[in-house]
Amino acid sequence: MLEDWLAPKAAALEARGLTRRLRSRAADDDLIDLAGNDYLGLARDPRVVTAAADAVRTWGTGATASRLVTGTTALHEELESALAAYVGQESALVFSSGYLANLGVVTALGGPGTLLVSDEHIHASLVDACRLSRSRVEVVPHNDVEAVEKVLAERNEPHAVVMTESVFSVLSDGAPLTELAAVAEAHRALLLVDEAHGLGVTGGGRGSVHAAGLAGLDHVAVTMTLSKSMASQGGVVLGPALLRDHLVNRSRPFIYDTGLNPAACAAALAALRVLEAEPDRPARIHAATTRLAGAFDVPLPAGPVVSIPMPGPQQTVQAADVCRRNGVRVGSFRPPSVPDGISRLRLTAHAGLSSHDLDRACDVIVEAIAQVS
């Protein structure tokens, strides 16, 4: 049955150059990494690794249950308090992944009486949250504040949530947060900002919401992942304490999921403490993105991602393979992961890249693009 069902779908993907394959990496992999999301370069930092190992020895390898049963430890509460204080929010609630944080907050706020206004470039986790929310969803053009205002003004629902990313994951452009917050407030709507690529990168590390002076406002909420700058895994929703209480009682991805393991909590907390102690790390990310953007003549991004348009999906995969064979790992984004349908090489900068690494990577990528184009 599965052969008849799935084989034609696989063949269609292969013909279009859209097949995705898992590729393992070794612990001693020495490639220059421009594909991972370890933006602050802390995933192997001894302070972060030691904190995670100590947590395993103290708490064991798992949270043992959902957060509402036995899955909340002192580490969860310490991490929530530290993150909220760092980014200027009243409260925080940790989920077991960034995907579930987005799913959890949107579905808990959604329903027949809530309109969801979605930027057309938002992350897949927010797209899926919209689909599961039982809400009416309006998708607006990318970063179009006037379109958002029009939809909010014409709505019939008593409640509304405007969803955006502070720094978008493919184009790495920034959202007009100040304008969106003003429109949301004028129309009694909540602005929900995904700071997955902002935490540890923009606003001196505190994110774009904090940099825009919007942190702590009662009509602005934030989601973040702990798997990028925080060198761990997990997700978090930050905002008013009333929102946190609502999620504890209404968010199914929080209520029915096993809590984030203590080692991940400890690692993220240690990474946050390193960021606080070494506030120059975000500037190193921006220096690397400036170097990469200049090498490929693309606009300077707001965040850590540099996207290089490619002729098509096959050439994108081929160029990434050439890069890997020559010691550089880059990302290859193809439909449907790219919101505008344009395949791209996706380079992610991090604070640990040396000038030599960047020079070598640029040379390799330039040659790879030339070979496949």
Side-chain angles (χ1 to χ4, degrees):
M1 181 190 72
L2 284 179
E3 180 71 21
D4 294 338
W5 178 10
L6 301 183
K9 296 179 181 292
L13 284 177
E14 188 70 33
R16 296 162 58 199
L18 301 180
T19 301
R20 285 157 171 76
R21 295 180 173 86
L22 295 174
R23 190 187 299 272
S24 64
R25 61 181 176 88
D28 59 353
D29 187 337
D30 60 355
L31 270 66
I32 299 172
D33 184 17
L34 294 179
N37 296 323
D38 182 23
Y39 297 146
L40 293 175
L42 296 176
R44 291 179 179 270
D45 187 285
R47 294 163 290 186
V48 176
V49 173
T50 298
D54 288 347
V56 170
R57 284 187 283 267
T58 301
W59 295 99
T61 56
T64 74
S66 70
R67 290 286 306 274
L68 285 168
V69 184
T70 60
T72 296
T73 69
L75 284 173
H76 291 82
E77 294 181 334
E78 185 179 1
L79 176 60
E80 287 168 346
S81 296
L83 281 169
Y86 182 70
V87 301
Q89 295 288 351
E90 184 179 5
S91 69
L93 187 67
V94 165
F95 288 68
S96 60
S97 75
Y99 200 105
L100 287 182
N102 278 339
L103 204 67
V105 66
V106 173
T107 55
L109 293 171
T114 301
L115 169 68
L116 301 178
V117 184
S118 165
D119 187 288
E120 65 179 342
H121 285 195
I122 60 170
H123 189 263
S125 56
L126 288 169
V127 173
D128 288 350
C130 290
R131 293 169 175 169
L132 293 171
S133 68
R134 299 169 293 113
S135 292
R136 182 167 70 92
V137 180
E138 289 286 345
V139 179
V140 296
H142 181 49
N143 280 346
D144 191 332
V145 178
E146 289 185 2
V148 172
E149 184 164 30
K150 184 175 186 296
V151 169
L152 290 177
E154 295 175 352
R155 82 179 195 266
N156 295 317
E157 295 85 353
H159 310 297
V161 180
V162 177
M163 294 175 295
T164 189
E165 299 182 42
S166 62
V167 177
F168 288 86
S169 59
V170 176
L171 301 183
S172 203
D173 55 334
L177 295 180
T178 302
E179 293 87 346
L180 287 173
V183 167
E185 183 178 28
H187 293 276
R188 298 188 59 78
L190 176 74
L191 175 62
L192 179 65
V193 184
D194 184 342
E195 286 260 43
H197 304 280
L199 177 62
V201 180
T202 59
R206 298 178 192 272
S208 300
V209 170
H210 187 280
L214 305 176
L217 299 183
D218 64 2
H219 72 290
V220 177
V222 171
T223 62
M224 294 176 171
T225 179
L226 306 177
S227 63
K228 295 179 172 62
S229 288
M230 294 298 99
S232 183
Q233 69 180 77
V236 57
V237 179
L238 305 103
L242 189 62
L243 174 61
R244 185 183 192 276
D245 293 341
H246 178 74
L247 296 179
V248 169
N249 286 279
R250 296 287 186 175
S251 176
R252 293 172 66 86
F254 177 83
I255 296 169
Y256 297 107
D257 188 37
T258 297
L260 182 64
N261 73 77
C265 288
L269 185 59
L272 179 61
R273 298 309 187 201
V274 172
L275 174 57
E276 290 175 320
E278 301 174 8
D280 64 314
R281 283 183 178 260
R284 295 188 225 166
I285 299 172
H286 293 297
T289 56
T290 300
R291 171 73 176 90
L292 291 169
F296 301 101
D297 195 27
V298 297
L300 183 64
V305 175
V306 174
S307 289
I308 306 173
M310 295 292 291
Q314 289 91 347
Q315 294 93 335
T316 305
V317 173
Q318 292 166 5
D321 287 341
V322 172
C323 288
R324 185 173 55 255
R325 291 195 297 269
N326 287 280
V328 179
R329 182 182 290 108
V330 301
S332 55
F333 269 31
R334 297 159 288 158
S337 297
V338 285
D340 55 3
I342 299 174
S343 295
R344 288 175 169 83
L345 290 180
R346 183 175 183 270
L347 318 180
T348 52
H350 59 82
L353 290 167
S354 67
S355 295
H356 178 270
D357 289 339
L358 288 167
D359 290 342
R360 171 61 181 162
C362 289
D363 290 343
V364 167
I365 297 167
V366 167
E367 177 60 28
I369 293 173
Q371 284 189 33
V372 304
S373 298

